[in-house]
Amino acid sequence: MHQNDISWLSRVYLLLNESYPEALDKLDYDFPNQAVVAANLLHPSQEAEFSCKIISASNSEFCFILDLSARTGRSKGDWIWIKEINIESGDLSLLSFPVAKRVVDIPYYKKKVSAHCLIKNFLPELIAAVKRELDI
């Protein structure tokens, strides 16, 4: 679906490369050079801000700004039963996918949420969603 959408590819690449680089190996997909260059240009810009909307088992929505570089997170006692994840970058919806219902403790890093720690909780579903979007 998104194999030729450089904006989408560059943001997904940036998300994975900055927050959970091991995920790129699990994809078995070589991002086009154009997307990698675009991701490197996006990195310092505000336009590349990533957010995650979590839909709980009770259909409540929780939105968090993600910190892509933080590798640790601290609990503030925000335990949420997750059933769906939506990841956005700026005004672009990147991924939306169901998650096997489970409780996740939201890993805060300063005033944002550690993307690395959060992604670790639903990595298999994230990889499957990216593969579906790339049609691989």
Side-chain angles (χ1 to χ4, degrees), residues 45-70:
S45 78
Q46 191 68 341
E47 195 175 294
E49 186 166 82
F50 289 81
S51 62
C52 180
K53 183 188 301 179
I54 294 175
I55 314 295
S56 73
S58 63
N59 289 323
S60 297
E61 293 183 5
F62 302 89
C63 292
F64 303 98
I65 302 298
L66 299 176
D67 184 317
L68 300 188
S69 60

Side-chain angles (χ1 to χ4, degrees), residues 115-135:
H116 177 83
C117 295
L118 189 63
I119 287 172
K120 185 170 43 173
N121 287 298
F122 52 82
L123 186 60
E125 291 99 337
L126 175 74
I127 296 298
V130 173
K131 285 184 173 185
R132 251 189 326 274
E133 291 295 324
L134 291 171
D135 200 26

Side-chain angles (χ1 to χ4, degrees), residues 26-125:
K26 296 176 188 267
L27 281 177
D28 293 326
Y29 176 79
D30 291 325
F31 281 82
N33 287 339
Q34 225 178 347
V36 174
V37 169
N40 289 331
L41 292 173
L42 268 176
H43 186 357
S45 78
Q46 191 68 341
E47 195 175 294
E49 186 166 82
F50 289 81
S51 62
C52 180
K53 183 188 301 179
I54 294 175
I55 314 295
S56 73
S58 63
N59 289 323
S60 297
E61 293 183 5
F62 302 89
C63 292
F64 303 98
I65 302 298
L66 299 176
D67 184 317
L68 300 188
S69 60
R71 293 294 183 257
T72 60
R74 196 180 82 196
S75 172
K76 290 186 179 179
D78 290 344
W79 293 86
I80 301 172
W81 276 97
I82 296 178
K83 76 171 188 178
E84 185 178 330
I85 301 288
N86 298 307
I87 299 175
E88 298 176 351
S89 174
D91 62 349
L92 184 63
S93 177
L94 296 181
L95 299 164
S96 182
F97 53 94
V99 176
K101 289 182 188 171
R102 60 183 165 275
V103 174
V104 172
D105 186 13
I106 305 303
Y108 289 92
Y109 181 80
K110 296 183 182 177
K111 294 186 180 202
K112 296 183 179 182
V113 169
S114 168
H116 177 83
C117 295
L118 189 63
I119 287 172
K120 185 170 43 173
N121 287 298
F122 52 82
L123 186 60
E125 291 99 337

Side-chain angles (χ1 to χ4, degrees), residues 7-25:
S7 180
W8 185 88
L9 284 168
S10 64
R11 290 170 194 237
V12 168
Y13 178 83
L14 179 61
L15 171 70
L16 297 177
N17 190 53
E18 292 296 315
S19 63
Y20 214 101
E22 301 87 356
L24 292 171
D25 296 333

